[in-house]
Amino acid sequence: MYIAHTIAELREHLGAYRHPAFVPTMGNLHDGHIALLTRARTLGDVSVVSIFVNRLQFAPNEDFDSYPRTWQADCTRLREAGCDVLFAPKEPELYPEPQTFAVQPPSELADILEGHFRPGFFTGVCTVVMKLFACVQPRVAVFGKKDYQQLMIIRRMVSQFALPIEMVAGETERATDGLALSSRNAYLSAPERAEAVHLSQALQRIAQAVRSGHPDLAAVEAEQMQALAARGWAPDYLTARRQHDLQPLTAGDAAVVLGAARLGTTRLIDNLELRQQPA
């Protein structure tokens, strides 16, 4: 595995390839990341993974400084999984001067759900992803569905800027009890880890209400929010939305159920895609 710490090193090494397949990450890798890499290896002539903890997508009160950084373990996992190139720039390499230019996604998609509770988050995400795309110049980029809203926004960014990149979505990887794999799961204590599965279970209950054509989804969503709160969670949202734009459901829409909630000091997100609901 070739490790590039500078943009110049990366570009020189990738000059020999025509079809890079790229997986951007913030490190602290788990099986979900490795599944994305495994997919990427089938889609290009060289696989590239980046590790960069992006300050721009963290609010001042969020966990930038404490975000898990596990460099040696990450390198070992990537080598064992057959990664060809690891791009691991330091902050001054990617942001040598204040990043005063930014990619601003549309408010109707970026200021709801995650964007409502994390103002500016998607501007930070889009800006760093655009910059990483400029560095790697991939032909394929693989993102996980666990960050459903993020995937949707980046897909639209690629489309509107006419970037020559094929966007590929990887399914959410889960533990045996149903918990979505996440780098932030490392923050959970043992009792919290046992409790964490209740987020996906709450989403399953809302999904079942959608499938059955329940006449009052808002009541079901509120009930599941209250149930989590009663267990000691601080839920931000649990809601069923249209898959294609994350707006409120109407009859016949393909739906996705999304949720975010804090357990102790750890904020977890998850989602479940549903097939077309009854008209």
Side-chain angles (χ1 to χ4, degrees), residues 106-127:
S107 61
E108 65 270 17
L109 186 56
D111 293 344
I112 61 174
L113 303 172
E114 282 299 286
H116 176 76
F117 289 94
R118 303 181 69 186
F121 171 70
F122 288 116
T123 298
V125 168
C126 288
T127 301

Side-chain angles (χ1 to χ4, degrees), residues 241-253:
R241 296 295 180 96
R242 292 196 302 230
Q243 283 185 20
H244 74 277
D245 62 3
L246 300 183
Q247 295 303 307
L249 279 174
T250 56
D253 290 333

Side-chain angles (χ1 to χ4, degrees), residues 158-169:
V158 167
S159 175
Q160 288 202 7
F161 282 103
L163 301 180
I165 300 170
E166 177 189 357
M167 288 287 294
V168 174

